[in-house]
Structures are given as C-alpha cells and as structure tokens.
Amino acid sequence: MIAQVIVDVAARQTDRVFDYLVPEGLEISIGSRVIVPFGNRKVQGFVVGFSEKSQFQGQLKDLLLVVDEMPPLTKELVALSADLAQQIFAYRISILKTMLPSVMRANYRKILVPVSDRAKAMPFFAGDVLDLSKISDPHLLKLVSQLLKNGDAEVEYLVEDKAKKKMTVLYTPLLSLEGYQELLTKVKKNAVQQQKLLTDLFENFAAYPKTREQLEGQKISLATLNSAVKKGWLGQKQVESYRKPAVLAKEKSQPKKLNDEQEAAYEAITQDVQERKSQTFLLEGVTGSGKTEVYLQTISEALKIGRTALMLVPEISLTPQMVAQVQARFGKEVAVLHSALSEGERYDEWRRIRRGQAKVVVGARSAVFAPLDNIGLIIIDEEHEGTYKQDKNPRYHARDVAIWRSRYHHCPLILGSATPSLGSRARAQKGLFKLITLKKRAKSQALPRVDLIDLKHVQFAGGQFDISVNLAEAIQKRLDRREQVILLLNRRGFANFMLCRNCGYVLKCPNCDLSLTMHKDTGVMQCHYCGHQEAIPTFCPNCHDRQIRFLGTGTQKVEEELGELFPAAKVLRMDVDTTRRKGSYEKILTAFGQGEADILLGTQMIAKGLDFPNVTLVGVINADTGLWLPDYNASEKTFELLTQVAGRAGRADKEGQVMIQTYNPDHYAIALSQKQDYELFYAKEMQVRRAGNYPPYFYTVLVTIASKNEQNAAREAFNIKRVLMAQLHQPTIILGPAPATVSRLKNQYLYQILVKYKKEDKLNALLHQLQDQAQEIKKYGLTVEIDTEPERIM
Ligand code: ADP
Ligand code: ZN
C-alpha cells in the first residue's frame, strides 16, 4: 500500500503529494500524522490518501512512524483542506496545520529512551527520557552515542507529548481478591489505616485505578499509601488526564418558554435539523430579541437526535456571557476552544472533541475546524464580525467553511446578528439564505431611546474635549439613581499620535508607513503593526519645535477625566492594556456585573453581547472615528458598532437611554443608527455599494505584491496586472497597482491590485497560476499574496 502524504516543509510549500510505502502492520488511515524521510531529513506530514500505484514505484521510501493512536484529522477535514486550498489560494499544509491545536503543529522532537537497566541507572535520564535537541554538552553527546552503539538506549520521535497532562494513579496489581482478604488477616490489629486501605481495595476493586487525591480524600495518609506502594499492594503509573478550563457557568439553566417569534424561528430550523437539510438561515434579530435562547433550544434538538453542534462566537474572551449560557444549559457536554485558554487546555479540549467526549463545541474562528463528527447544527453568532475572516494565511472565512461543513453533514447553519453583513443579507434577499427576523425584544422591553449629540455645537464638561455637558448630566442622573453606565471609546482607525503644530510633522514608524501610538503608562511610542518602540519625544524630530501635540483620546485620558468629573464614581476600564492578562476580561465583567463599579469605560470590546440589567445609559464618546477610513465598509462597521453598543442599554425592566456624540450627525450611518433601523441602512448602503461597484455587487480579490525593494515590487505588480488585463474582460474591473493603504509594513513595500468581478470562470485558474509563479519569484525576495473577499480594500 502507498500513502499519499502532504509534508510539513516550509521551503516546499506546494500542494504536491509525496508517496510513501506503508510498512506491514502499521495502523494508518486518512488524516494520520506521520513522520517520513524527506531528503536527508525526517519531517512531519499528513496522510491525505492511499493508492496502489505510484509513478515513482521502486524508488519509494518507507514511512517511518504514525504519530498518534487516533488520526488527528478526520476524512471530512482532509477533504475540506483540499477544497479550501483551491478556494482561498492557501497551501494545503498551512490549512491542515490550522485545523490542529498549536501544540500539534510543531514538528517532532528526537528523544533518547533508555532500554537497558544500565541506561536507566544513568542520572541524566531521571527515570524518563532525554530530549536530544536540548543537549549540546560534548561529554554528554559522547555518552549518548555510546549508549546507542551498545543498544542501551534508543531514539524515538516525540510529538508534543509534553503538552499532555499526566496524572499519577494507584492501581491494584494483578492479585486476586482472595489475596487481599488474606493480606487483611495479616495486618496488625492497630494498623487502622492499613486496614482501611485494604478494605477499600477489597470492596472497591472495580473502581481502581484511583488518584492519590481520591485515596487521601478517604483519610488514608500519604505515609500509608507510600508504604502500600512499597509493599506491592498498590502499583503506581502515569496516565493521561485533561486540564479543565474554567467553567464560567455557575448553575444549570432551564429552557425558557419561547415567544411567538422565537417559536417560529425554532420550528423552521429544527425541521431542517430533523430532516437533515443543509439550509443556511439568516437569523436577524434586534439586540435583546433572544437569539441565544433560539440557539440553545435548536442545539438541544440536534443532541436529541444523536447529533452534535458547533457554535462560533466572535471572540470568546469578549463574549464570556455567551459561553457561560451554553455551559449552563449543556454542562459537561460542552468543549470550548479559544485563544484565552492555555495551549495545553486547548489541546485537551480538542482531544475531548476528537474522541467524541464533547457534543457541543463553542469557540472562536478556528473552532470552525473542530474535529466534531456527525454535526447536526452549526451556529455563527454575530455573523457580521470581521474576526471571522483570518487576516493572515490561510485567509479563510469561517462562514464559508461553515457552509461547506453544513453541506457535508447535511445540517442547517444559523447566521445570527442584529446587523447582518451586507453580503449575507443580500444572499438572503436573493433566496440563497432563508431569512428569519425577530423584531421584538424578548422581554418586550422597548428599544432604548437614542440621542445624537452634535459635537460641533455643544459645550464640554471639564477641561477636555471628550465629554459633553449633555452626556455628563445624563451620567450624573444614573449615578444618583445607582444605575450603571457603559461608555464606548471607538478606537477603530484611531490612535494617540504625535503631531507638530509648527510644521505638521507626524511621528511615524521607521519600518511602516503608520503613525506611532503613544502609550503613556509605559512611556513609549509604539507601532501597532511591527512592534517598533521609541521614547515619547519632547520636541519635534523634524523642526525641533517644542509645540508638539498628542492627538486622539485614549481610554486612560477619559478615565482621568471621569475621575475629575465624577469623583465619587467607581470606573472600570477595559481595553488592550487592562485585559492583557489571562482571565482579566472575565474579572472586569464579573466585577461590573456584581455592581462593584458604576461606569464601564472601554473600547470596541465592550460593544458586543454583554447583558447587564442595571445598565440604563450607554454613551458613545466618539462615533465618527472609523467613518473616514479609506475602506469601503467604513459605514457598515460604524452602523454596526453603534447599533450593537446601543443594544447594551435597558435590557431588563428599567428603560434604557443611549447618547451618541458625533461631529457628523447627518451621515446616514449615524443618523440611521439613532433609529436602529437596519432595513433602511441596508437599502441605503446597497445603493452606495452599487454606485461604487463594491461588494456585494462585485466579488473582490486583492493581490498584494511585497518586496524590500520598492522598484521590484512595483515592476512585478505591473507584470501581474498585464497578465490579468489580457485574460479578463468587461465588466471585470482591475484597479491598481497602487501602494497599499499602509504602503510599507515591516520594511516591505506593498503594492496591491484589486480585481472586482461578477463572474470570471478563468480567474481562479489564472490566480493559481500566478501563485505558482510567485513560488518561483520568492527567490528574488518578492512575495505575492492573494486574498479573496478581503475585509478591507484600499
Ligand atoms: P440577543 O442575543 O438577541 O441580543 P439575548 O439572547 O441576550 O438577546 O436575550 C435578551 C434577554 O431576554 C436575555 O436576558 C434573555 O435571558 C431573555 N430572554 C430570551 N428569550 C426569552 C424568553 N422566551 N422568555 C423570557 N426571557 C427571554
Ligand atoms: Zn512599524
């Protein structure tokens, strides 16, 4: 038998499949991870198929090792990787690795395992193994080679084994029950502990192995256990165990009685769950309409018929309440996968899923590749979120992957949002997705009143230009009533940068064409793309004038201002700086939820999914910052953010109010967010998109050419454009090449070509051809990247 293997070799990132002979007796299947000889090295690879024949018959090498007992990838995922590679111009190996937890992506390590007693006695083994990659001491190396030569030790390949958590358990060695009974008669009368242990062994024979903790829990002392091990009553061994990520839910929740709108949604979706139809539903429900309850009850239905469910959320750390709700309903059946877990925790959760021990998976973007079998329902909450598209290779969109998997499993997919992406909504309009709307809030609270505050004609409270008198008064009113306030500082396209008032100079990163952001707490100016840092200047580096200003409003600055305006109020700040540590999001949100603070001030991360009944005022400090980005979806993103954050107010029985401060109250994205009128916004924005030939009227592909040498990048960009022009015709539009918005990144010059098309049968093949050529020109320091349906274009 011949196995077809995709090898993990950086320099050979091609989709070529290599053939290897499978030695007798090796347990192997599609999706197995293997170690194979490659050139004069040994590398990791994945089996993607088998064949009888090979064109290299006779020269084939043997596959060396199958790494895991259970193939880490399912047949489905292997098939998905092939289709996805075609769709998104990514190499298959990068997709296969993305599908795995990070600890499994790394290549193997070589270890030395002792086999003879002589070797085991060597102090450096410490009863374990020796990592060969870690030793450099020549004396030790000599010793190792000697051990190998004499057959005292062997080399093995170890793959991420360190990531597995081990637990010591005590087991009953092979000895009959009678044996234990006999032992019992021999134990001294006053050795109470020993008697107790033997009784336990005798009565609970079947319950072994047990952990030390379990036995100590029965009041059997450590000393007794140790002596029992010594006497041979108990054996001791290491077994694999799982780390338990923190469970956010405190108690179990019961299904709520659905209202009419929820019921209709539930009926439509569960019918397709039962009939195994791969329909995509767009569940458009105003904030607070109870989409979550619909998700939970449809998941129940899938479980009831013996299938599993996959649920994606934008970023778990930002929506801990959603995870908590799923855990509260489904308990131990839930596995969570997201970046706030440690690598080890992720790995353990992933293995629980692969082994079929978890039936419901909740996770962020990459969880769309969770190795669940027999999926009966897929849900993408807040489907409009940009985080569902990966902005580095492989550039997949979780929504498209979910659609693929829903077809494979014949199960429905729910896309939920209060503000669906224009693309999804347009597909629903066309009948490709089925639209279900929830117009009422679940507890029939009114939507909050929204006021726009025109910053051009307003007085500011305090000495800064951040908080208007109107907003300050509204905040004071809530503080007096002991209600809570959420304040949003929109950071999209926004930074504290340095501007010289004398010469107009803006301090930029020396590597990137981007202004540096000031961080007052650490005292540095930092580039948020490449990480470059320098000291905060005291005079202009260009004209040496001291009249420099730091523009922009940071959360820290607003926090200080709030402290001056409302000295008695307790403020919690939530931004990248305060949430860097693991678990800090949850901590801040829990504190706020328990009423430990009056005001929650934060960036975008507070806009989504939060449900705090005592919040009756939401203030937006600056609605416009994202509006003027050179980005076709700037309006959509602004409308979305304002609507989402407005939805955080008045979610319980107290009436909510929203105040949006803006310099552009007449801009439709802002004016319509006041009315929270998605329908009107959709209609208006579609007109704008049509006029500008933007998505969803056109599909887009962005080709980025990068080089340290600007001329080379530009020259190659023009070459590519010429090829595209020759092959593609009206109404396809080819824009560029032009320097990218951020024209220089990490010292690379970037040129971009944007292709907008309605239908181009040849385009995919053409781009693949370009990609293959790109592999060639890599040698000259040029790279070409292809991004289908980019989130931002020029
Ligand atoms: P969405 O996700 O659509 O913004 P949520 O799912 O957060 O809305 O629901 C808003 C509130 O309404 C929550 O507090 C939820 O517990 C409550 N809720 C949802 N459905 C029902 C129902 N059928 N009966 C009573 N309360 C409900
Ligand atoms: Zn930089």
Side-chain angles (χ1 to χ4, degrees):
M1 196 171 47
I2 292 162
Q4 298 167 323
V5 177
I6 299 252
V7 292
D8 185 5
V9 181
R12 293 281 178 110
Q13 292 235 324
T14 71
D15 280 345
R16 209 178 122 196
V17 171
F18 291 87
D19 292 344
Y20 289 93
L21 293 171
V22 181
E24 273 309 299
L26 214 54
E27 286 255 356
I28 190 167
S29 49
I30 289 182
S32 285
R33 188 161 49 135
V34 291
I35 307 277
V36 294
F38 194 83
N40 52 7
R41 291 189 291 159
K42 298 180 182 70
V43 300
Q44 176 171 298
F46 298 91
V47 177
V48 296
F50 294 103
S51 65
E52 302 274 304
K53 286 196 289 253
S54 164
Q55 65 181 117
F56 300 101
Q57 210 97 30
Q59 312 164 34
L60 294 183
K61 291 187 185 154
D62 272 7
L63 197 151
L64 297 176
L65 181 81
V66 177
V67 179
D68 321 81
E69 260 169 56
M70 191 179 201
L73 295 163
T74 59
K75 272 207 178 77
E76 180 208 356
L77 292 173
V78 171
L80 169 60
S81 73
D83 285 359
L84 200 55
Q86 280 299 308
Q87 257 177 43
I88 63 169
F89 303 93
Y91 294 114
R92 222 171 146 190
I93 185 66
S94 74
I95 296 172
L96 291 168
K97 283 166 78 180
T98 300
M99 290 171 164
L100 297 177
S102 51
V103 291
M104 294 178 85
R105 288 177 207 160
N107 248 309
Y108 67 91
R109 290 177 302 137
K110 256 188 193 171
I111 55 163
L112 192 69
V113 185
V115 287
S116 73
D117 285 342
R118 190 147 53 118
K120 279 177 197 156
M122 296 279 183
F124 54 78
F125 276 122
D128 209 352
V129 296
L130 188 70
D131 190 339
L132 286 178
S133 59
K134 294 244 168 75
I135 49 172
S136 51
D137 176 20
H139 175 71
L140 194 54
L141 279 172
K142 213 163 134 196
L143 204 61
V144 165
S145 66
Q146 223 157 44
L147 285 172
L148 284 171
K149 214 163 85 200
N150 300 341
D152 288 325
E154 284 172 0
V155 170
E156 268 187 26
Y157 301 102
L158 184 75
V159 193
E160 97 286 324
D161 214 50
K162 248 172 55 192
K164 277 185 193 160
K165 194 180 170 189
K166 294 279 172 47
M167 181 172 73
T168 308
V169 291
L170 298 167
Y171 65 99
T172 52
L174 291 175
L175 200 82
S176 64
L177 275 183
E178 292 74 31
Y180 283 118
Q181 276 171 296
E182 201 187 309
L183 275 177
L184 197 53
T185 60
K186 282 186 193 154
V187 173
K188 288 196 199 98
K189 282 248 166 51
N190 58 358
V192 185
Q193 290 247 338
Q194 292 192 11
Q195 283 176 8
K196 212 166 165 182
L197 176 63
L198 283 171
T199 312
D200 188 69
L201 285 172
F202 171 56
E203 285 174 357
N204 300 312
F205 190 76
Y208 278 82
K210 288 185 175 183
T211 62
R212 278 175 176 273
E213 287 76 31
Q214 281 167 335
L215 283 163
E216 280 171 39
Q218 289 164 15
K219 306 240 160 55
I220 296 167
S221 73
L222 203 62
T224 310
L225 289 179
N226 286 341
S227 83
V229 171
K230 225 182 240 158
K231 286 182 179 140
W233 298 358
L234 283 173
Q236 188 165 259
K237 66 179 172 191
Q238 299 260 303
V239 297
E240 196 184 317
S241 77
Y242 295 134
R243 299 165 190 82
K244 289 259 154 41
V247 172
L248 301 169
K250 301 244 154 46
E251 42 209 65
K252 199 136 176 107
S253 82
Q254 293 304 320
K256 293 187 175 67
K257 184 163 174 5
L258 301 177
N259 65 30
D260 293 350
E261 284 185 336
Q262 287 174 317
E263 183 70 31
Y266 170 83
E267 288 296 332
I269 298 162
T270 50
Q271 188 175 350
D272 283 3
V273 171
Q274 282 152 4
E275 292 176 6
R276 299 183 164 229
K277 284 198 187 142
S278 60
Q279 174 70 48
T280 299
F281 292 93
L282 180 60
L283 182 61
E284 180 186 320
V286 296
T287 50
S289 58
K291 295 184 286 293
T292 312
E293 193 57 35
V294 175
Y295 300 152
L296 296 175
Q297 296 198 20
T298 43
I299 291 174
S300 270
E301 195 58 34
L303 298 184
K304 224 179 274 166
I305 63 166
R307 309 193 84 189
T308 61
L310 172 59
M311 175 165 179
L312 301 185
V313 292
E315 214 178 296
I316 298 222
S317 44
L318 307 189
T319 46
Q321 288 183 328
M322 178 62 88
V323 182
Q325 289 187 56
V326 179
Q327 285 176 333
R329 194 65 57 87
F330 302 106
K332 283 207 189 85
E333 310 233 75
V334 181
V336 282
L337 286 177
H338 59 91
S339 53
L341 300 183
S342 69
E343 277 197 349
E345 285 170 341
R346 271 169 83 91
Y347 179 50
D348 289 355
E349 286 291 88
W350 184 90
R351 280 181 300 148
R352 272 198 330 123
I353 300 165
R354 180 68 184 100
R355 291 170 180 172
Q357 292 161 345
K359 304 277 180 229
V360 181
V361 174
V362 192
R365 180 181 59 229
S366 65
V368 77
F369 297 117
L372 265 179
D373 262 335
N374 194 19
I375 300 177
L377 178 66
I378 308 176
I379 296 165
I380 301 188
D381 188 35
E382 311 285 4
E383 71 90 30
H384 57 272
E385 280 291 333
T387 52
Y388 286 125
K389 169 83 188 274
Q390 177 149 296
D391 61 5
K392 55 176 203 256
N393 269 324
R395 299 174 188 276
Y396 67 94
H397 199 302
R399 193 199 304 122
D400 299 331
V401 176
I403 291 175
W404 190 99
R405 295 194 79 179
S406 93
R407 293 204 180 116
Y408 184 93
H409 289 277
H410 304 284
C411 74
L413 163 66
I414 309 176
L415 304 176
S417 176
T419 51
S421 64
L422 243 65
S424 289
R425 181 48 200 267
R427 284 190 183 99
Q429 210 76 19
K430 269 188 162 175
L432 295 173
F433 297 168
K434 209 180 262 178
L435 183 65
I436 302 180
T437 45
L438 306 178
K439 297 199 168 70
K440 295 189 303 246
R441 280 189 144 183
K443 300 186 211 153
S444 36
Q445 324 88 315
L447 280 171
R449 192 183 101 203
V450 183
D451 295 319
L452 295 185
I453 296 169
D454 188 346
L455 292 179
K456 296 195 294 288
H457 312 287
V458 89
Q459 277 201 320
F460 286 94
Q464 307 290 331
F465 299 102
D466 295 323
I467 297 173
S468 64
V469 169
N470 316 41
L471 180 57
E473 273 171 13
I475 295 174
Q476 189 57 56
K477 206 159 93 189
R478 311 295 145 163
L479 295 177
D480 294 343
R481 285 199 231 141
R482 316 230 98 252
E483 291 168 1
Q484 288 175 297
V485 178
I486 288 182
L487 292 180
L488 170 78
L489 189 75
N490 183 8
R491 303 276 305 171
R492 193 175 138 88
F494 195 77
N496 308 310
F497 56 97
M498 189 225 90
L499 176 92
C500 173
R501 290 200 310 201
N502 186 39
C503 73
Y505 178 85
V506 171
L507 187 61
K508 286 187 174 176
C509 171
N511 312 318
C512 311
D513 179 32
L514 279 174
S515 58
L516 294 176
T517 303
M518 181 177 70
H519 286 258
K520 219 167 143 190
D521 49 352
T522 45
V524 294
M525 303 290 298
Q526 186 169 33
C527 170
H528 279 265
Y529 274 79
C530 74
H532 167 85
Q533 287 190 346
E534 56 187 77
I536 299 175
T538 51
F539 55 87
C540 172
N542 187 42
C543 71
H544 304 285
D545 196 283
R546 288 193 179 271
Q547 289 203 49
I548 50 174
R549 261 199 79 178
F550 292 93
L551 295 184
T553 300
T555 37
Q556 282 176 45
K557 194 171 140 226
V558 176
E559 188 185 21
E560 282 166 25
E561 201 176 337
L562 288 170
E564 283 161 26
L565 289 172
F566 312 105
K570 176 121 199 336
V571 181
L572 277 172
R573 178 163 65 96
M574 187 143 155
D575 56 21
V576 247
D577 294 326
T578 63
T579 53
R580 211 162 272 147
R581 279 222 315 277
K582 199 180 152 208
S584 44
Y585 288 99
E586 291 80 357
K587 234 191 225 148
I588 296 175
L589 292 179
T590 308
F592 189 64
Q594 290 171 347
E596 286 168 29
D598 308 292
I599 301 174
L600 176 64
L601 165 71
T603 54
Q604 272 82 324
M605 58 178 80
I606 60 162
K608 297 150 201 166
L610 303 181
D611 189 3
F612 294 116
N614 199 32
V615 170
T616 54
L617 173 68
V618 166
V620 178
I621 306 227
N622 50 353
D624 333 72
T625 47
L627 212 48
W628 308 117
L629 285 173
D631 189 355
Y632 76 96
N633 65 19
S635 297
E636 184 180 342
K637 291 291 159 204
T638 300
F639 177 81
E640 201 176 278
L641 180 67
L642 296 178
T643 310
Q644 293 289 339
V645 75
R648 302 307 120 220
R651 291 175 71 87
D653 40 4
K654 290 174 208 152
E655 205 185 310
Q657 191 192 358
V658 180
M659 288 190 139
I660 299 177
Q661 302 194 130
T662 172
Y663 283 98
N664 302 278
D666 299 327
H667 190 287
Y668 65 96
I670 290 173
L672 291 174
S673 75
Q674 180 187 18
K675 301 198 182 77
Q676 302 196 40
D677 192 337
Y678 176 82
E679 293 308 312
L680 221 55
F681 175 78
Y682 171 75
K684 170 78 193 160
E685 183 67 9
M686 285 296 271
Q687 283 172 8
V688 174
R689 301 288 178 90
R690 186 202 290 270
N693 296 329
Y694 282 120
Y697 288 99
F698 278 79
Y699 297 110
T700 52
V701 174
L702 188 64
V703 182
T704 304
I705 299 96
S707 172
K708 286 210 159 85
N709 179 318
E710 183 166 17
Q711 273 180 355
N712 284 353
R715 194 179 311 126
E716 185 58 25
F718 279 102
N719 284 341
I720 290 175
K721 164 124 178 198
R722 222 168 294 133
V723 176
L724 292 172
M725 293 282 276
Q727 302 281 332
L728 309 176
H729 304 285
Q730 285 274 344
T732 298
I733 302 165
I734 304 173
L735 297 177
T741 317
V742 177
S743 66
R744 198 150 64 98
L745 215 53
K746 300 181 187 171
N747 269 325
Q748 295 257 344
Y749 288 89
L750 306 178
Y751 275 77
Q752 295 191 321
I753 299 169
L754 182 69
V755 183
K756 301 195 212 178
Y757 64 101
K758 283 189 186 283
K759 191 171 178 300
E760 263 313 340
D761 296 332
K762 277 189 279 181
L763 185 61
N764 201 284
L766 193 58
L767 290 172
H768 274 285
Q769 207 182 313
L770 270 178
Q771 194 184 27
D772 290 344
Q773 286 162 5
Q775 200 57 32
E776 283 299 305
I777 58 175
K778 226 179 182 171
K779 296 199 274 279
Y780 307 109
L782 271 156
T783 56
V784 175
E785 292 229 357
I786 298 170
D787 189 2
T788 57
E789 302 302 309
E791 274 288 307
R792 308 171 155 217
I793 46 178
M794 307 228 184

